[in-house]
């Protein structure tokens, strides 16, 4: 089982705001990174560190953290945002990396 | 263009070996730690191994420790994964990934498209 826990599926109406969460003990010490993956494609980093986005990632993607929970928020979800989303962080030891099980986002 | 291209995957019998390679381009390879991350069919990513910029620090997931060996050749902008004693559960798409890290985060910012490893009798 993963050290990071995500809800398997979340849905959002087009144009609305959705929050995807990731829980784990290591998140008390480390920020989560978030990845978007569409079918047949490699994951793409969308948010990392406290709340940073790589070049080219729309500003509707943002990250936050509280206690043992990290969140990815999509403000004004678009049809193109329908994908699987994964969080990752260092593990509790700080020496290894760990991924969450993923959340399938459906945009209605 | 920043790019990672993997090769070396294939079909192998249980107990067999494979050596994966990854060639990097478009960035200064020895400025970065690198990792291998795998995805079994229909599953999420699983971190496999990481190596620091100079090879001085290496880590493995418990599931592959003692069977897999990561290495790099900075003169050839290349990353490798030697996989021995392969098991059916090692079947996955193996991605070469660039590590972007800070004091309080670990991110994989560039991903290759992957090379498929199938372990089957």
């Amino acid at each position: 089982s993963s050290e990071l826990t995500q809800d398997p599926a979340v849905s959002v109406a087009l144009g609305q705001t959705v929050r995807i969460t990731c829980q784990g003990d290591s998140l008390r010490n480390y920020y989560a990174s978030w990845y978007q993956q569409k079918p047949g494609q490699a994951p793409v980093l969308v948010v990392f560190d406290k709340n940073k986005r790589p070049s080219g990632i729309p500003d509707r993607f943002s990250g936050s953290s509280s206690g043992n929970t990290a969140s990815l928020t999509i403000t004004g979800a678009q049809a193109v945002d329908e994908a699987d989303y994964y969080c990752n962080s260092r593990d509790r030891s700080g020496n290894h990396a760990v991924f969450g099980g993923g959340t399938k986002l459906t945009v209605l | 263009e920043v790019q990672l291209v993997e090769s070396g995957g294939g079909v192998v019998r249980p107990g067999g070996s494979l050596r994966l390679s990854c060639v990097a381009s478009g960035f200064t390879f020895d400025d970065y730690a690198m990792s291998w991350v795998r995805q079994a069919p229909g599953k999420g990513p699983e971190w496999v191994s990481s190596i620091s910029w100079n090879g001085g620090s290496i880590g493995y997931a418990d599931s592959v420790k003692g069977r897999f060996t990561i290495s790099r050749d900075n003169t050839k902008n290349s990353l490798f994964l030697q996989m021995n004693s392969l098991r059916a559960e090692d079947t996955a798409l193996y991605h070469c990934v660039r590590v972007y890290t800070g004091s309080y985060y670990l991110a994989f910012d560039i991903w290759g498209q992957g090379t498929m490893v199938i372990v089957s009798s």
Side-chain angles (χ1 to χ4, degrees):
Chain A
S1 63
S2 175
E3 292 186 24
L4 297 178
T5 301
Q6 298 181 242
D7 292 329
V10 170
S11 62
V12 61
L14 184 67
Q16 296 303 300
T17 296
V18 62
R19 177 174 292 182
I20 298 170
T21 61
C22 174
Q23 288 188 304
D25 286 344
S26 64
L27 299 180
R28 297 185 184 278
N29 300 310
Y30 302 105
Y31 294 114
S33 298
W34 291 92
Y35 306 83
Q36 177 192 72
Q37 187 174 32
K38 297 182 179 180
Q41 299 181 18
V44 173
L45 179 67
V46 295
V47 169
F48 66 101
D49 201 359
K50 191 172 183 180
N51 182 17
K52 295 180 181 175
R53 287 173 284 104
S55 174
I57 301 301
D59 61 5
R60 64 178 179 271
F61 291 90
S62 63
S64 61
S65 182
S66 178
N68 72 335
T69 302
S71 300
L72 173 71
T73 299
I74 306 174
T75 303
Q78 303 299 305
V80 295
D81 299 333
E82 188 164 284
D84 293 324
Y85 289 86
Y86 298 94
C87 60
N88 102 281
S89 180
R90 296 184 184 276
D91 69 356
R92 280 171 285 192
S93 72
N95 296 322
H96 294 173
V98 64
F99 283 90
T103 297
K104 183 176 183 61
L105 176 66
T106 300
V107 179
L108 304 171
Chain B
E1 180 191 6
V2 175
Q3 198 171 8
L4 298 169
V5 179
E6 305 92 337
S7 62
V11 181
V12 62
R13 295 190 185 279
S17 298
L18 277 178
R19 180 177 169 85
L20 306 184
S21 300
C22 167
V23 177
S25 59
F27 65 98
T28 304
F29 185 66
D30 55 12
D31 276 351
Y32 293 89
M34 298 293 295
S35 291
W36 289 97
V37 174
R38 68 185 181 184
Q39 265 187 296
K43 302 295 185 181
E46 178 191 12
W47 173 76
V48 173
S49 181
S50 291
I51 185 168
S52 61
W53 69 275
N54 64 353
S57 179
I58 286 174
Y60 298 99
D62 289 344
S63 57
V64 306
K65 205 170 200 176
R67 301 188 298 122
F68 290 10
T69 302
I70 192 171
S71 61
R72 64 190 295 163
D73 183 343
N74 288 343
T75 66
K76 297 181 179 177
N77 290 348
S78 294
L79 178 72
F80 306 100
L81 186 68
Q82 177 66 43
M83 304 187 297
N84 298 331
S85 303
L86 282 161
R87 306 167 180 167
E89 54 265 36
D90 295 319
T91 293
L93 185 65
Y94 283 74
H95 295 278
C96 171
V97 184
R98 190 174 82 173
V99 178
Y100 192 65
T101 185
S103 298
Y104 300 106
Y105 70 91
L106 171 69
F108 301 116
D109 68 335
I110 303 295
W111 295 63
Q113 287 303 307
T115 186
M116 189 69 198
V117 172
I118 298 172
V119 184
S120 175
S121 55

